[in-house]
Amino acid sequence: MTVETRKIIKLFGKQKALDNVSFSIKKGELVGFLGPNGAGKSTMMKIITGYLPQNSGEVLIHGDKISIKNLDYKQEIGYLPEHNPLYTDLYVKEFLEITAGFYKLRNKKQRVAEMVELTGLGLEQHKKIRALSKGYRQRVGLAQALIHNPSILILDEPTTGLDPNQLEEIRNLIREISKEKTVILSSHIMQEVEAVCNRVIIINRGKIVADGGISEIKNQSFKRNQVVIAEFNSDVAAEQLLSISGVKTAVLQHKTWEIEAETSADIRPAIFDFAVKNQLTLLTLQERQQNLENVFHQLTQNHN
Ligand code: ADP
Ligand code: MG
């Protein structure tokens, strides 16, 4: 076990930002930490990296509990905080050298050169950070997170705000890095996690609502109620659809109905019969495919 959290609780005043969060991540895993804004992702990452104390619960890095008294774990963790705060007045190379200095690295110059090479900053290294595009700033952020060669990398929303080309470049870089390291990356965008990670931990309002392989989580959702998209050639009332055997809910969205079944059993034949009986023509009748996006929405809807 490389990163383990046990029953983490974090309070901000009366608000429980994290409510009993436990998970364990093995060496070499590339895990997506997915949740809507305000779910508690950044708070959890700050606790793992030791920047914020929890109210209760434990974090174990390589099996050792982290604490103020035991700072050795800092050497094992690289951290790219949300919004990637950088000293924009510094030159790229200068900034990386200062970072290397924090870790008291002996081979500072060589290490900076290696990071510049790894993150593709060769042409930018003599520029001021403020002159860099967002994509290149993210590379600087990754370079500083990696400079002390940590075995664990914590990346808080590393791809937010990038354009599609930059996005693909940073994703590739993260995939490359993850071959040798344990990586946890957070995102509020499920496509992001689906594109990069093998495993996803979904958090909502401070609680973990799903944890598993991406395909495993999608399969779980197949056991959920079937959802059918149907479109008729003329108006139909919700009550009519609700009277069909096996139908639980019917919601009109634009021109199409989203009809949820009571179980995972197929209600399409019953909807077809209904159309025939009422002399309606079915323009669309299809099962909604479960993808991670649907699962994410189902799991993180606000049930107020
Ligand atoms: P996420 O990163 O998933 O968007 P955060 O971890 O930043 O979520 O925040 C989780 C919740 O905790 C939010 O409701 C946020 O407003 C609250 N929160 C975060 N940091 C603080 C703080 N320093 N003081 C008070 N509330 C905070
Ligand atoms: Mg955040």
Side-chain angles (χ1 to χ4, degrees), residues 169-230:
E169 287 165 14
I170 296 292
R171 277 180 185 169
N172 287 336
L173 192 53
I174 293 171
R175 286 191 199 105
E176 197 55 40
I177 293 163
S178 74
K179 289 179 186 162
E180 289 168 13
K181 302 193 186 294
T182 304
V183 181
I184 308 176
L185 77 86
S186 73
S187 178
H188 63 279
I189 303 161
M190 52 77 224
Q191 290 100 326
E192 192 54 41
V193 168
E194 202 164 11
V196 184
C197 306
N198 333 87
R199 174 179 161 196
V200 59
I201 296 173
I202 304 180
I203 183 169
N204 190 38
R205 297 174 166 207
K207 286 189 177 150
I208 292 185
V209 291
D211 178 355
I214 301 233
S215 53
E216 193 187 328
I217 286 182
K218 280 197 220 166
N219 285 338
Q220 276 173 14
S221 67
F222 278 121
K223 292 183 197 106
R224 289 168 177 270
N225 300 346
Q226 186 194 40
V227 176
V228 171
I229 307 298

Short mmCIF file of all heavy atoms in Angstrom, two decimals, residues 169-230:
data_model
loop_
_atom_site.label_atom_id
_atom_site.label_comp_id
_atom_site.label_asym_id
_atom_site.label_seq_id
_atom_site.Cartn_x
_atom_site.Cartn_y
_atom_site.Cartn_z
N GLU A 169 -1.12 17.02 -24.62
CA GLU A 169 0.31 16.96 -24.27
C GLU A 169 0.50 16.67 -22.79
O GLU A 169 1.32 15.84 -22.41
CB GLU A 169 0.98 18.30 -24.62
CG GLU A 169 1.15 18.50 -26.12
CD GLU A 169 1.48 19.96 -26.47
OE1 GLU A 169 1.82 20.73 -25.55
OE2 GLU A 169 1.36 20.30 -27.65
N ILE A 170 -0.27 17.36 -21.95
CA ILE A 170 -0.12 17.16 -20.50
C ILE A 170 -0.60 15.75 -20.12
O ILE A 170 0.02 15.08 -19.30
CB ILE A 170 -0.86 18.25 -19.70
CG1 ILE A 170 -0.24 19.63 -19.97
CG2 ILE A 170 -0.87 17.96 -18.21
CD1 ILE A 170 1.17 19.85 -19.45
N ARG A 171 -1.69 15.30 -20.74
CA ARG A 171 -2.16 13.93 -20.47
C ARG A 171 -1.07 12.92 -20.80
O ARG A 171 -0.82 11.98 -20.04
CB ARG A 171 -3.38 13.60 -21.33
CG ARG A 171 -4.67 14.09 -20.77
CD ARG A 171 -5.79 13.69 -21.72
NE ARG A 171 -7.06 14.24 -21.30
CZ ARG A 171 -8.15 14.22 -22.06
NH1 ARG A 171 -8.11 13.71 -23.28
NH2 ARG A 171 -9.27 14.72 -21.60
N ASN A 172 -0.45 13.10 -21.96
CA ASN A 172 0.62 12.17 -22.36
C ASN A 172 1.77 12.20 -21.36
O ASN A 172 2.31 11.14 -21.02
CB ASN A 172 1.14 12.49 -23.75
CG ASN A 172 0.14 12.09 -24.82
OD1 ASN A 172 -0.70 11.22 -24.58
ND2 ASN A 172 0.21 12.73 -25.97
N LEU A 173 2.09 13.39 -20.92
CA LEU A 173 3.17 13.53 -19.94
C LEU A 173 2.80 12.80 -18.64
O LEU A 173 3.63 12.07 -18.08
CB LEU A 173 3.41 15.03 -19.69
CG LEU A 173 4.65 15.45 -18.94
CD1 LEU A 173 5.90 14.87 -19.58
CD2 LEU A 173 4.74 16.98 -18.94
N ILE A 174 1.57 12.96 -18.20
CA ILE A 174 1.14 12.29 -16.96
C ILE A 174 1.18 10.77 -17.13
O ILE A 174 1.64 10.04 -16.26
CB ILE A 174 -0.27 12.78 -16.54
CG1 ILE A 174 -0.20 14.25 -16.13
CG2 ILE A 174 -0.83 11.93 -15.40
CD1 ILE A 174 -1.55 14.91 -15.91
N ARG A 175 0.71 10.30 -18.29
CA ARG A 175 0.76 8.86 -18.54
C ARG A 175 2.18 8.35 -18.51
O ARG A 175 2.48 7.28 -17.96
CB ARG A 175 0.15 8.54 -19.92
CG ARG A 175 -1.33 8.64 -19.96
CD ARG A 175 -1.87 8.04 -21.28
NE ARG A 175 -3.21 8.51 -21.54
CZ ARG A 175 -3.54 9.42 -22.44
NH1 ARG A 175 -2.61 9.97 -23.21
NH2 ARG A 175 -4.79 9.80 -22.59
N GLU A 176 3.08 9.13 -19.11
CA GLU A 176 4.50 8.74 -19.17
C GLU A 176 5.08 8.64 -17.75
O GLU A 176 5.71 7.65 -17.38
CB GLU A 176 5.24 9.82 -19.98
CG GLU A 176 6.61 9.44 -20.49
CD GLU A 176 6.59 8.17 -21.31
OE1 GLU A 176 5.64 7.97 -22.10
OE2 GLU A 176 7.53 7.35 -21.13
N ILE A 177 4.80 9.69 -16.96
CA ILE A 177 5.32 9.74 -15.59
C ILE A 177 4.76 8.58 -14.76
O ILE A 177 5.46 7.99 -13.94
CB ILE A 177 4.93 11.09 -14.92
CG1 ILE A 177 5.64 12.25 -15.61
CG2 ILE A 177 5.22 11.08 -13.43
CD1 ILE A 177 5.03 13.61 -15.31
N SER A 178 3.49 8.25 -15.02
CA SER A 178 2.83 7.25 -14.17
C SER A 178 3.39 5.85 -14.37
O SER A 178 3.08 4.94 -13.61
CB SER A 178 1.33 7.25 -14.45
OG SER A 178 1.09 6.64 -15.70
N LYS A 179 4.20 5.66 -15.40
CA LYS A 179 4.81 4.33 -15.58
C LYS A 179 5.75 4.01 -14.42
O LYS A 179 5.99 2.86 -14.11
CB LYS A 179 5.59 4.29 -16.90
CG LYS A 179 4.67 4.28 -18.10
CD LYS A 179 5.47 4.25 -19.39
CE LYS A 179 4.54 4.39 -20.59
NZ LYS A 179 5.27 4.78 -21.80
N GLU A 180 6.27 5.05 -13.82
CA GLU A 180 7.25 4.83 -12.75
C GLU A 180 6.77 5.28 -11.38
O GLU A 180 7.48 5.09 -10.40
CB GLU A 180 8.55 5.56 -13.09
CG GLU A 180 9.28 4.90 -14.22
CD GLU A 180 10.41 5.75 -14.75
OE1 GLU A 180 10.78 6.72 -14.07
OE2 GLU A 180 10.91 5.43 -15.83
N LYS A 181 5.61 5.91 -11.33
CA LYS A 181 5.19 6.48 -10.05
C LYS A 181 3.72 6.19 -9.75
O LYS A 181 2.96 5.85 -10.64
CB LYS A 181 5.39 8.00 -10.07
CG LYS A 181 6.82 8.39 -10.36
CD LYS A 181 7.11 9.81 -10.07
CE LYS A 181 8.51 10.19 -10.51
NZ LYS A 181 9.57 9.51 -9.75
N THR A 182 3.39 6.33 -8.49
CA THR A 182 2.00 6.27 -8.08
C THR A 182 1.43 7.66 -8.27
O THR A 182 2.01 8.63 -7.78
CB THR A 182 1.92 5.88 -6.58
OG1 THR A 182 2.62 4.66 -6.42
CG2 THR A 182 0.49 5.74 -6.12
N VAL A 183 0.32 7.76 -9.00
CA VAL A 183 -0.22 9.09 -9.30
C VAL A 183 -1.69 9.18 -8.89
O VAL A 183 -2.48 8.30 -9.22
CB VAL A 183 -0.09 9.42 -10.81
CG1 VAL A 183 -0.64 10.82 -11.12
CG2 VAL A 183 1.36 9.32 -11.28
N ILE A 184 -2.02 10.25 -8.18
CA ILE A 184 -3.43 10.55 -7.90
C ILE A 184 -3.70 11.90 -8.54
O ILE A 184 -3.02 12.88 -8.24
CB ILE A 184 -3.71 10.67 -6.39
CG1 ILE A 184 -3.20 9.45 -5.63
CG2 ILE A 184 -5.21 10.87 -6.13
CD1 ILE A 184 -3.35 9.55 -4.12
N LEU A 185 -4.68 11.93 -9.45
CA LEU A 185 -5.02 13.23 -10.04
C LEU A 185 -6.49 13.51 -9.83
O LEU A 185 -7.32 12.62 -9.91
CB LEU A 185 -4.61 13.29 -11.51
CG LEU A 185 -5.42 12.61 -12.59
CD1 LEU A 185 -6.54 13.51 -13.07
CD2 LEU A 185 -4.52 12.31 -13.76
N SER A 186 -6.79 14.76 -9.50
CA SER A 186 -8.18 15.10 -9.27
C SER A 186 -8.75 15.80 -10.49
O SER A 186 -8.02 16.38 -11.28
CB SER A 186 -8.32 16.01 -8.05
OG SER A 186 -7.86 17.30 -8.36
N SER A 187 -10.06 15.70 -10.62
CA SER A 187 -10.73 16.37 -11.72
C SER A 187 -12.22 16.44 -11.42
O SER A 187 -12.76 15.60 -10.70
CB SER A 187 -10.51 15.60 -13.02
OG SER A 187 -11.20 16.23 -14.07
N HIS A 188 -12.88 17.47 -11.96
CA HIS A 188 -14.33 17.50 -11.87
C HIS A 188 -14.94 17.10 -13.21
O HIS A 188 -16.14 17.17 -13.41
CB HIS A 188 -14.83 18.88 -11.41
CG HIS A 188 -14.51 19.99 -12.37
ND1 HIS A 188 -13.26 20.59 -12.40
CD2 HIS A 188 -15.24 20.59 -13.32
CE1 HIS A 188 -13.27 21.52 -13.35
NE2 HIS A 188 -14.45 21.53 -13.92
N ILE A 189 -14.06 16.66 -14.14
CA ILE A 189 -14.53 16.31 -15.48
C ILE A 189 -14.29 14.82 -15.70
O ILE A 189 -13.14 14.36 -15.69
CB ILE A 189 -13.76 17.12 -16.54
CG1 ILE A 189 -13.93 18.61 -16.26
CG2 ILE A 189 -14.22 16.77 -17.95
CD1 ILE A 189 -12.89 19.47 -16.92
N MET A 190 -15.38 14.09 -15.88
CA MET A 190 -15.20 12.64 -15.91
C MET A 190 -14.46 12.15 -17.16
O MET A 190 -13.74 11.18 -17.08
CB MET A 190 -16.50 11.89 -15.66
CG MET A 190 -17.64 12.29 -16.49
SD MET A 190 -17.49 11.62 -18.10
CE MET A 190 -17.93 13.04 -19.04
N GLN A 191 -14.59 12.88 -18.28
CA GLN A 191 -13.85 12.44 -19.48
C GLN A 191 -12.35 12.44 -19.21
O GLN A 191 -11.61 11.63 -19.76
CB GLN A 191 -14.10 13.36 -20.68
CG GLN A 191 -15.47 13.27 -21.27
CD GLN A 191 -16.33 14.41 -20.78
OE1 GLN A 191 -16.18 14.86 -19.63
NE2 GLN A 191 -17.24 14.87 -21.61
N GLU A 192 -11.95 13.38 -18.39
CA GLU A 192 -10.55 13.52 -18.04
C GLU A 192 -10.03 12.24 -17.37
O GLU A 192 -9.01 11.68 -17.75
CB GLU A 192 -10.44 14.70 -17.06
CG GLU A 192 -9.06 15.19 -16.81
CD GLU A 192 -8.37 15.52 -18.09
OE1 GLU A 192 -9.00 16.09 -18.98
OE2 GLU A 192 -7.19 15.16 -18.20
N VAL A 193 -10.80 11.83 -16.38
CA VAL A 193 -10.43 10.65 -15.61
C VAL A 193 -10.51 9.41 -16.49
O VAL A 193 -9.63 8.54 -16.46
CB VAL A 193 -11.35 10.56 -14.37
CG1 VAL A 193 -11.22 9.22 -13.68
CG2 VAL A 193 -11.04 11.70 -13.42
N GLU A 194 -11.56 9.34 -17.30
CA GLU A 194 -11.75 8.19 -18.18
C GLU A 194 -10.59 8.08 -19.17
O GLU A 194 -10.15 7.00 -19.51
CB GLU A 194 -13.08 8.33 -18.91
CG GLU A 194 -13.61 7.02 -19.42
CD GLU A 194 -15.09 7.09 -19.80
OE1 GLU A 194 -15.65 8.22 -19.87
OE2 GLU A 194 -15.67 6.03 -20.02
N ALA A 195 -10.09 9.24 -19.62
CA ALA A 195 -9.02 9.24 -20.63
C ALA A 195 -7.68 8.83 -20.05
O ALA A 195 -6.85 8.25 -20.76
CB ALA A 195 -8.90 10.63 -21.26
N VAL A 196 -7.45 9.12 -18.80
CA VAL A 196 -6.10 8.96 -18.26
C VAL A 196 -5.97 7.81 -17.27
O VAL A 196 -4.95 7.12 -17.25
CB VAL A 196 -5.63 10.28 -17.59
CG1 VAL A 196 -4.20 10.17 -17.10
CG2 VAL A 196 -5.75 11.45 -18.56
N CYS A 197 -6.99 7.58 -16.46
CA CYS A 197 -6.82 6.68 -15.31
C CYS A 197 -7.41 5.29 -15.55
O CYS A 197 -8.24 5.10 -16.42
CB CYS A 197 -7.50 7.28 -14.09
SG CYS A 197 -6.95 8.96 -13.76
N ASN A 198 -6.97 4.33 -14.73
CA ASN A 198 -7.57 3.00 -14.77
C ASN A 198 -8.58 2.84 -13.65
O ASN A 198 -9.50 2.06 -13.72
CB ASN A 198 -6.52 1.90 -14.58
CG ASN A 198 -5.16 2.33 -15.03
OD1 ASN A 198 -4.42 2.93 -14.25
ND2 ASN A 198 -4.86 2.09 -16.29
N ARG A 199 -8.33 3.60 -12.60
CA ARG A 199 -9.22 3.48 -11.44
C ARG A 199 -9.76 4.86 -11.09
O ARG A 199 -9.08 5.86 -11.29
CB ARG A 199 -8.43 2.91 -10.27
CG ARG A 199 -9.18 2.87 -8.95
CD ARG A 199 -8.32 2.26 -7.86
NE ARG A 199 -8.82 2.60 -6.56
CZ ARG A 199 -8.11 2.46 -5.44
NH1 ARG A 199 -6.86 2.02 -5.50
NH2 ARG A 199 -8.62 2.78 -4.28
N VAL A 200 -10.96 4.87 -10.56
CA VAL A 200 -11.55 6.15 -10.18
C VAL A 200 -12.15 6.06 -8.78
O VAL A 200 -12.75 5.06 -8.40
CB VAL A 200 -12.60 6.61 -11.22
CG1 VAL A 200 -13.72 5.61 -11.39
CG2 VAL A 200 -13.20 7.97 -10.87
N ILE A 201 -11.90 7.11 -8.01
CA ILE A 201 -12.56 7.25 -6.71
C ILE A 201 -13.46 8.46 -6.85
O ILE A 201 -12.99 9.55 -7.18
CB ILE A 201 -11.53 7.48 -5.58
CG1 ILE A 201 -10.62 6.25 -5.43
CG2 ILE A 201 -12.23 7.80 -4.26
CD1 ILE A 201 -9.47 6.45 -4.45
N ILE A 202 -14.76 8.24 -6.69
CA ILE A 202 -15.71 9.36 -6.86
C ILE A 202 -16.12 9.88 -5.48
O ILE A 202 -16.51 9.10 -4.61
CB ILE A 202 -16.95 8.94 -7.68
CG1 ILE A 202 -16.52 8.38 -9.05
CG2 ILE A 202 -17.89 10.14 -7.88
CD1 ILE A 202 -17.66 7.93 -9.95
N ILE A 203 -15.98 11.17 -5.32
CA ILE A 203 -16.31 11.80 -4.03
C ILE A 203 -17.40 12.83 -4.24
O ILE A 203 -17.42 13.52 -5.26
CB ILE A 203 -15.04 12.42 -3.38
CG1 ILE A 203 -15.34 13.02 -2.01
CG2 ILE A 203 -14.40 13.47 -4.28
CD1 ILE A 203 -14.09 13.40 -1.21
N ASN A 204 -18.33 12.87 -3.32
CA ASN A 204 -19.40 13.85 -3.39
C ASN A 204 -19.72 14.33 -1.99
O ASN A 204 -19.89 13.51 -1.08
CB ASN A 204 -20.65 13.21 -4.01
CG ASN A 204 -21.72 14.24 -4.32
OD1 ASN A 204 -21.40 15.36 -4.75
ND2 ASN A 204 -22.97 13.90 -4.11
N ARG A 205 -19.71 15.64 -1.79
CA ARG A 205 -20.00 16.22 -0.47
C ARG A 205 -19.23 15.55 0.65
O ARG A 205 -19.79 15.16 1.67
CB ARG A 205 -21.49 16.13 -0.17
CG ARG A 205 -22.31 16.92 -1.14
CD ARG A 205 -23.75 16.66 -0.87
NE ARG A 205 -24.59 17.63 -1.54
CZ ARG A 205 -25.77 17.97 -1.09
NH1 ARG A 205 -26.26 17.47 0.01
NH2 ARG A 205 -26.49 18.83 -1.76
N GLY A 206 -17.95 15.36 0.38
CA GLY A 206 -17.07 14.83 1.42
C GLY A 206 -17.12 13.34 1.66
O GLY A 206 -16.44 12.82 2.53
N LYS A 207 -17.96 12.63 0.87
CA LYS A 207 -18.06 11.18 1.05
C LYS A 207 -17.70 10.44 -0.23
O LYS A 207 -18.06 10.89 -1.32
CB LYS A 207 -19.50 10.79 1.41
CG LYS A 207 -19.86 11.14 2.82
CD LYS A 207 -21.20 10.53 3.18
CE LYS A 207 -21.50 10.84 4.62
NZ LYS A 207 -22.85 10.96 5.00
N ILE A 208 -17.05 9.29 -0.07
CA ILE A 208 -16.76 8.49 -1.25
C ILE A 208 -18.01 7.74 -1.67
O ILE A 208 -18.64 7.07 -0.85
CB ILE A 208 -15.59 7.53 -0.96
CG1 ILE A 208 -14.33 8.37 -0.78
CG2 ILE A 208 -15.41 6.53 -2.09
CD1 ILE A 208 -13.08 7.60 -0.60
N VAL A 209 -18.39 7.91 -2.94
CA VAL A 209 -19.60 7.25 -3.42
C VAL A 209 -19.30 6.12 -4.38
O VAL A 209 -20.18 5.33 -4.72
CB VAL A 209 -20.60 8.26 -4.05
CG1 VAL A 209 -21.19 9.17 -2.98
CG2 VAL A 209 -19.94 9.11 -5.13
N ALA A 210 -18.06 6.00 -4.86
CA ALA A 210 -17.68 4.88 -5.71
C ALA A 210 -16.16 4.78 -5.72
O ALA A 210 -15.46 5.80 -5.61
CB ALA A 210 -18.19 5.07 -7.13
N ASP A 211 -15.67 3.56 -5.83
CA ASP A 211 -14.22 3.35 -5.89
C ASP A 211 -13.97 2.04 -6.63
O ASP A 211 -14.43 0.99 -6.18
CB ASP A 211 -13.65 3.27 -4.45
CG ASP A 211 -12.15 3.01 -4.43
OD1 ASP A 211 -11.54 2.78 -5.50
OD2 ASP A 211 -11.58 3.02 -3.32
N GLY A 212 -13.32 2.10 -7.77
CA GLY A 212 -13.04 0.87 -8.49
C GLY A 212 -12.49 1.14 -9.87
O GLY A 212 -12.26 2.29 -10.24
N GLY A 213 -12.30 0.05 -10.63
CA GLY A 213 -11.85 0.19 -12.00
C GLY A 213 -12.93 0.90 -12.80
O GLY A 213 -14.11 0.79 -12.47
N ILE A 214 -12.51 1.62 -13.83
CA ILE A 214 -13.48 2.38 -14.62
C ILE A 214 -14.54 1.43 -15.21
O ILE A 214 -15.73 1.69 -15.11
CB ILE A 214 -12.77 3.17 -15.74
CG1 ILE A 214 -11.77 4.11 -15.08
CG2 ILE A 214 -13.76 3.85 -16.67
CD1 ILE A 214 -11.82 5.54 -15.42
N SER A 215 -14.09 0.30 -15.78
CA SER A 215 -15.07 -0.60 -16.40
C SER A 215 -15.93 -1.26 -15.34
O SER A 215 -17.13 -1.47 -15.54
CB SER A 215 -14.37 -1.64 -17.27
OG SER A 215 -13.39 -2.29 -16.52
N GLU A 216 -15.33 -1.52 -14.19
CA GLU A 216 -16.09 -2.12 -13.07
C GLU A 216 -17.23 -1.19 -12.63
O GLU A 216 -18.36 -1.62 -12.44
CB GLU A 216 -15.09 -2.30 -11.92
CG GLU A 216 -15.52 -3.16 -10.77
CD GLU A 216 -14.46 -3.07 -9.67
OE1 GLU A 216 -13.26 -2.90 -9.98
OE2 GLU A 216 -14.84 -3.14 -8.49
N ILE A 217 -16.91 0.08 -12.52
CA ILE A 217 -17.93 1.04 -12.08
C ILE A 217 -19.02 1.20 -13.13
O ILE A 217 -20.19 1.29 -12.81
CB ILE A 217 -17.26 2.39 -11.71
CG1 ILE A 217 -16.54 2.20 -10.38
CG2 ILE A 217 -18.28 3.52 -11.62
CD1 ILE A 217 -15.87 3.40 -9.82
N LYS A 218 -18.62 1.16 -14.40
CA LYS A 218 -19.64 1.23 -15.45
C LYS A 218 -20.55 0.00 -15.41
O LYS A 218 -21.74 0.10 -15.61
CB LYS A 218 -18.96 1.30 -16.82
CG LYS A 218 -18.47 2.67 -17.17
CD LYS A 218 -18.24 2.71 -18.65
CE LYS A 218 -17.01 3.47 -19.00
NZ LYS A 218 -16.59 3.24 -20.38
N ASN A 219 -19.93 -1.18 -15.15
CA ASN A 219 -20.72 -2.40 -15.10
C ASN A 219 -21.69 -2.42 -13.94
O ASN A 219 -22.82 -2.85 -14.08
CB ASN A 219 -19.80 -3.63 -15.00
CG ASN A 219 -19.16 -3.92 -16.33
OD1 ASN A 219 -19.68 -3.50 -17.36
ND2 ASN A 219 -18.04 -4.60 -16.31
N GLN A 220 -21.23 -1.90 -12.81
CA GLN A 220 -22.12 -1.79 -11.65
C GLN A 220 -23.37 -1.04 -12.05
O GLN A 220 -24.47 -1.37 -11.65
CB GLN A 220 -21.45 -0.99 -10.53
CG GLN A 220 -20.54 -1.79 -9.64
CD GLN A 220 -19.79 -0.85 -8.69
OE1 GLN A 220 -20.14 0.30 -8.53
NE2 GLN A 220 -18.76 -1.38 -8.08
N SER A 221 -23.14 0.00 -12.87
CA SER A 221 -24.27 0.84 -13.22
C SER A 221 -25.25 0.11 -14.13
O SER A 221 -26.40 0.48 -14.22
CB SER A 221 -23.78 2.11 -13.91
OG SER A 221 -23.22 1.78 -15.14
N PHE A 222 -24.78 -0.95 -14.81
CA PHE A 222 -25.71 -1.72 -15.64
C PHE A 222 -26.77 -2.41 -14.79
O PHE A 222 -27.85 -2.71 -15.26
CB PHE A 222 -24.96 -2.78 -16.46
CG PHE A 222 -24.38 -2.22 -17.71
CD1 PHE A 222 -23.03 -2.28 -17.95
CD2 PHE A 222 -25.19 -1.59 -18.64
CE1 PHE A 222 -22.49 -1.73 -19.10
CE2 PHE A 222 -24.66 -1.05 -19.79
CZ PHE A 222 -23.30 -1.11 -20.02
N LYS A 223 -26.40 -2.67 -13.53
CA LYS A 223 -27.38 -3.30 -12.64
C LYS A 223 -28.42 -2.29 -12.19
O LYS A 223 -29.41 -2.63 -11.60
CB LYS A 223 -26.66 -3.90 -11.44
CG LYS A 223 -25.79 -5.08 -11.83
CD LYS A 223 -25.14 -5.72 -10.62
CE LYS A 223 -23.98 -6.60 -11.02
NZ LYS A 223 -22.68 -6.00 -10.71
N ARG A 224 -28.16 -1.03 -12.51
CA ARG A 224 -29.15 -0.02 -12.16
C ARG A 224 -30.33 -0.11 -13.10
O ARG A 224 -30.31 -0.83 -14.09
CB ARG A 224 -28.51 1.36 -12.27
CG ARG A 224 -27.52 1.60 -11.19
CD ARG A 224 -26.71 2.84 -11.51
NE ARG A 224 -25.81 3.08 -10.39
CZ ARG A 224 -26.13 3.84 -9.35
NH1 ARG A 224 -27.29 4.43 -9.29
NH2 ARG A 224 -25.28 3.98 -8.37
N ASN A 225 -31.33 0.68 -12.81
CA ASN A 225 -32.52 0.67 -13.64
C ASN A 225 -32.20 1.06 -15.08
O ASN A 225 -31.38 1.92 -15.32
CB ASN A 225 -33.54 1.65 -13.08
CG ASN A 225 -33.93 1.29 -11.65
OD1 ASN A 225 -33.64 0.19 -11.20
ND2 ASN A 225 -34.56 2.21 -10.98
N GLN A 226 -32.92 0.42 -15.98
CA GLN A 226 -32.74 0.78 -17.38
C GLN A 226 -33.32 2.18 -17.64
O GLN A 226 -34.32 2.56 -17.03
CB GLN A 226 -33.51 -0.23 -18.26
CG GLN A 226 -33.26 -0.02 -19.75
CD GLN A 226 -34.26 -0.78 -20.60
OE1 GLN A 226 -35.44 -0.84 -20.29
NE2 GLN A 226 -33.77 -1.35 -21.69
N VAL A 227 -32.67 2.92 -18.51
CA VAL A 227 -33.21 4.21 -18.93
C VAL A 227 -33.38 4.17 -20.45
O VAL A 227 -32.45 3.78 -21.17
CB VAL A 227 -32.29 5.39 -18.53
CG1 VAL A 227 -32.84 6.71 -19.06
CG2 VAL A 227 -32.16 5.46 -17.01
N VAL A 228 -34.58 4.53 -20.90
CA VAL A 228 -34.88 4.47 -22.33
C VAL A 228 -35.19 5.88 -22.83
O VAL A 228 -35.88 6.65 -22.15
CB VAL A 228 -36.08 3.53 -22.58
CG1 VAL A 228 -36.56 3.62 -24.02
CG2 VAL A 228 -35.72 2.10 -22.22
N ILE A 229 -34.65 6.21 -23.98
CA ILE A 229 -34.95 7.48 -24.62
C ILE A 229 -36.01 7.20 -25.70
O ILE A 229 -35.79 6.33 -26.56
CB ILE A 229 -33.68 8.07 -25.29
CG1 ILE A 229 -32.51 8.15 -24.30
CG2 ILE A 229 -33.97 9.43 -25.92
CD1 ILE A 229 -32.74 9.03 -23.10
N ALA A 230 -37.13 7.89 -25.62
CA ALA A 230 -38.21 7.66 -26.59
C ALA A 230 -38.74 8.97 -27.13
O ALA A 230 -38.83 9.96 -26.39
CB ALA A 230 -39.34 6.86 -25.94
#
